[in-house]
Amino acid sequence: MSKKVYPDAVTALAGLLRDDMVIMAGGFGLCGIPENLIDGIRLSGVKGLTFISNNAGVDGFGLGVLLETRQVRKMISSYVGENKLFAQQYLSGELELEFNPQGTLAERCRAGGAGIPAFFTKTGVGTLVAEGKETRVFNGETYVMETGLVADLSIVKAHCGDTAGNLVYRKTARNFNPMMATAGKVTVAEVEQLVEPGTIDPDHIHTPGIFVQRIIKGENYEKRIEQRTTRKKI
C-alpha cells in the first residue's frame, strides 16, 4: 500500500497540526467538505486557527463544530450566512473575519497554488473590499490588487482517489477543492472511494497526486442539505 495512505483522519493529521496555523478547507456549502478531517482537527484540540474556506459550515456541522469548540480565531471566507454561532462570535469580537467576493477567494487560492503572489481584479473596486489595497488603472478601468493565498495545511474531499493521491471530484464538490489542494504546503485528502493506481482514467483526474501528501478513505458521510427550498403544494 502507498505510503500516502493512512488508516484514519487522526493518524493522517498527526504531526501536521499546531496552534495558530492557517488551514484551507475545501467544499462549497455542505457539498464536498472534508468531514472526517475536520473532526480530526476537533479531536486534536489545536486552537487559534485561521481557516480559509468558502463558508463556515452550519451550526453543529462542518466547520461549525470547530466554532463550537472555540478552536477558530479567524475566517477568510465568502459566505457565512447559514451559521448563527459564527454571527454571534463575530459580532461579539471573538472571531475575526476577512470577507472576499466568491470569485476573488477562488482566484486567491488558485494564485497561491500557482505561485502567483498577487493579481488585479475589477471586483470590489469602490467598495469596502478595496479599502487599504493598491489599485491601478488598466485600459481606462480601475482594478484592485488581491494577494494569493497559501496555507500551512489544506484539507480536501474527493469522490474518488487512488493510493498515489490522484483525485476526482464530483459535481459541486469541484468548487474550491481543486485549487485548495494545490495551495497547501501539505495537503491531506479524504475520499469516498479509494482505488489502486491505474484505475482512474488519466483524463479524468482533477488533482494530480503530486499535490497530495496524505490520503484516507473517509466514512460515515452525511449528505446534508444546507438550505432546503421546495415549491408550495398547489
Side-chain angles (χ1 to χ4, degrees), residues 1-3 5 160-168 191 193-202 205 215 217:
M1 182 170 286
S2 169
K3 294 180 179 179
V5 179
C160 182
D162 65 26
T163 57
N166 298 300
L167 305 178
V168 178
V191 298
Q193 300 175 12
L194 184 62
V195 299
E196 291 300 316
T199 305
I200 303 172
D201 185 330
I205 292 171
I215 189 169
K217 184 181 184 303

Side-chain angles (χ1 to χ4, degrees), residues 18-190:
R18 66 178 189 277
D19 292 347
D20 304 316
M21 70 186 303
V22 178
I23 303 176
M24 282 188 180
F28 190 77
L30 298 182
C31 180
I33 62 174
E35 299 170 38
N36 289 262
L37 293 170
I38 289 172
D39 197 50
I41 293 172
R42 178 186 65 82
L43 292 171
S44 75
V46 291
K47 57 186 183 299
L49 303 173
T50 295
F51 264 93
I52 302 170
S53 174
N54 180 60
N55 59 294
V58 295
D59 295 282
F61 189 66
L63 292 181
V65 300
L66 300 180
L67 296 177
E68 290 182 346
T69 53
R70 301 314 197 260
Q71 289 173 261
V72 183
R73 178 185 64 83
K74 179 180 180 179
M75 290 292 305
I76 300 175
S77 300
S78 171
Y79 177 70
V80 294
E82 303 298 333
N83 196 312
K84 294 179 181 178
L85 180 59
F86 182 103
Q88 293 171 4
Q89 292 184 2
Y90 171 68
L91 293 173
S92 68
E94 185 178 352
L95 183 69
E96 295 180 45
L97 171 62
E98 182 181 329
F99 258 137
N100 293 253
Q102 196 165 82
T104 298
L105 180 62
E107 181 62 10
R108 292 185 72 190
C109 295
R110 191 203 67 82
I116 299 170
F119 60 92
F120 286 90
T121 175
K122 291 177 68 175
T123 305
V125 172
T127 72
L128 291 174
V129 170
E131 284 192 0
K133 299 176 182 177
E134 179 182 343
T135 59
R136 289 190 189 181
V137 176
F138 297 93
N139 299 319
E141 299 284 349
T142 301
Y143 292 75
V144 60
M145 188 179 80
E146 297 284 356
T147 55
L149 291 171
V150 175
D152 299 309
L153 170 69
S154 286
I155 54 172
V156 299
K157 156 61 180 323
H159 176 66
C160 182
D162 65 26
T163 57
N166 298 300
L167 305 178
V168 178
Y169 309 98
R170 187 171 183 270
K171 299 185 178 180
T172 308
R174 199 170 171 183
N175 290 340
F176 286 98
N177 273 302
M179 57 280 287
M180 288 185 172
T182 69
K185 295 176 183 177
V186 177
T187 295
V188 182
E190 62 178 81

